[in-house]
Amino acid sequence: MSKKVKILVVEDEKDIAELVRYNLEKEDWQVLCVETGEEAMKFLEGNTIALILLDLMLPEMDGLETCRLIKQESQWKNIPIIFLTAKSEESDVIVGLQLGADDYITKPFSPKVLIARVKAVLRRLTPESKNPNEVRHIGDLMIDIPKHKVVYQGGAIELTTIEFNIIEFLSRYPGRVFTRDQIMDKVWKEGKFIIDRAVDVHIRGLRKKLDKAADFIETVRGVGYRFKDEKDWEQDE
Ligand code: CA
């Protein structure tokens, strides 16, 4: 039995499936390709999969429905899913992320971006929960959780509790995009009634205070926000 990390690719466009396979196999992952959501479900029955790359537009059962069914099953719900989408499908991505998918990649994508995103999600397989004693260093930025303090290039940045909670939460998952709803859920735990524009307002305030470090918080148009992944830095621009 192979000990390689297995990645399931669900994609009906053969050219794309082969491109993905070629690039992932170069990283020494084992790649298994199926063309429909039904085949994917069948495949999961007999195999242990580390990650699923799931096309949104599939014949018959689409990617969202496939994602929903996978996330319903307790034995599969922790398998990370990255959607493969066309640009025009980005509104579906929000639904997908809310169904529990981890990330998405817009076609056409470069092999570098594909590999970086897959690696980022695999790194998160053991998701760190908030460690109350952690001091996080990201480039010149320091997030001191016990002291509730953010420092950039040696200068302290005064943040409100909400702003601190937003940057703490986003930086816990570099590269991962969160919808406004998800950010609200995590940051406003008391279940206060908040309109989702409030997230934008707080993030605008946060960025202003971060000043030169504002680029750490990226807007993902039509979707939400993410903390820039160091590994993506050269690839995104
Ligand atoms: Ca397709």
Side-chain angles (χ1 to χ4, degrees):
M1 272 291 274
S2 165
K3 288 229 176 79
K4 284 186 183 179
V5 168
K6 283 186 198 167
I7 298 177
L8 179 63
V9 178
V10 191
E11 169 63 83
D12 59 316
E13 284 157 89
K14 288 206 171 61
D15 293 357
I16 296 175
E18 279 314 307
L19 178 76
V20 170
R21 178 203 292 282
Y22 173 78
N23 285 291
L24 296 183
E25 281 180 351
K26 277 209 298 201
E27 296 293 316
D28 212 28
W29 292 314
Q30 189 181 349
V31 181
L32 309 125
C33 296
V34 296
E35 291 179 22
T36 67
E38 289 83 352
E39 284 176 279
M41 304 290 289
K42 231 173 267 163
F43 193 86
L44 288 175
E45 302 271 4
N47 293 279
T48 307
I49 296 294
L51 179 133
I52 302 170
L53 286 165
L54 178 58
D55 182 27
L56 261 185
M57 289 288 278
L58 292 166
E60 294 159 48
M61 188 161 84
D62 69 14
L64 286 181
E65 182 61 8
T66 307
C67 175
R68 204 177 56 76
L69 292 175
I70 291 170
K71 293 294 175 187
Q72 264 176 13
E73 297 290 329
S74 56
Q75 75 270 35
W76 301 334
K77 70 167 191 259
N78 292 324
I79 304 174
I81 294 178
I82 300 177
F83 278 117
L84 302 175
T85 81
K87 199 129 206 110
S88 58
E89 295 160 3
E90 281 184 349
S91 57
D92 292 336
V93 165
I94 299 184
V95 179
L97 294 173
Q98 279 162 354
L99 287 172
D102 285 75
D103 202 353
Y104 71 99
I105 304 173
T106 308
K107 300 179 210 177
F109 44 80
S110 74
K112 269 170 108 182
V113 167
L114 171 74
I115 300 297
R117 296 294 182 78
V118 167
K119 281 189 176 163
V121 169
L122 289 175
R123 271 202 308 273
R124 293 195 295 261
L125 273 183
T126 44
E128 310 95 87
S129 53
K130 179 165 145 187
N131 171 357
N133 298 314
E134 189 184 353
V135 178
R136 229 170 265 159
H137 292 272
I138 311 117
D140 286 341
L141 189 71
M142 182 186 85
I143 300 174
D144 186 329
I145 294 169
K147 291 188 182 144
H148 257 242
K149 217 172 78 180
V150 172
V151 175
Y152 183 65
Q153 294 184 335
I157 298 167
E158 293 298 325
L159 299 179
T160 65
T161 303
I162 295 278
E163 288 164 350
F164 181 84
N165 287 347
I166 291 174
I167 194 169
E168 187 285 312
F169 171 66
L170 292 177
S171 69
R172 214 186 303 165
Y173 307 95
R176 176 166 179 176
V177 52
F178 292 96
T179 65
R180 292 173 176 80
D181 277 347
Q182 289 172 322
I183 294 169
M184 282 191 288
D185 273 4
K186 302 293 181 209
V187 173
W188 285 271
K189 294 184 189 77
E190 316 84 56
K192 279 185 207 149
F193 174 78
I194 305 234
I195 49 165
D196 62 357
R197 290 295 138 203
V199 174
D200 297 338
V201 172
H202 285 289
I203 286 190
R204 208 176 308 136
L206 174 59
R207 278 191 177 133
K208 211 169 161 190
K209 290 179 183 173
L210 288 172
D211 194 24
K212 287 191 196 113
D215 288 350
F216 279 101
I217 313 261
E218 294 186 313
T219 304
V220 182
R221 255 184 64 200
V223 181
Y225 296 97
R226 72 172 168 209
F227 197 86
K228 206 167 177 78
D229 189 347
E230 237 172 317
K231 309 279 185 300
D232 286 342
W233 283 0
E234 309 126 67
Q235 287 141 22
D236 271 7
E237 295 334 298

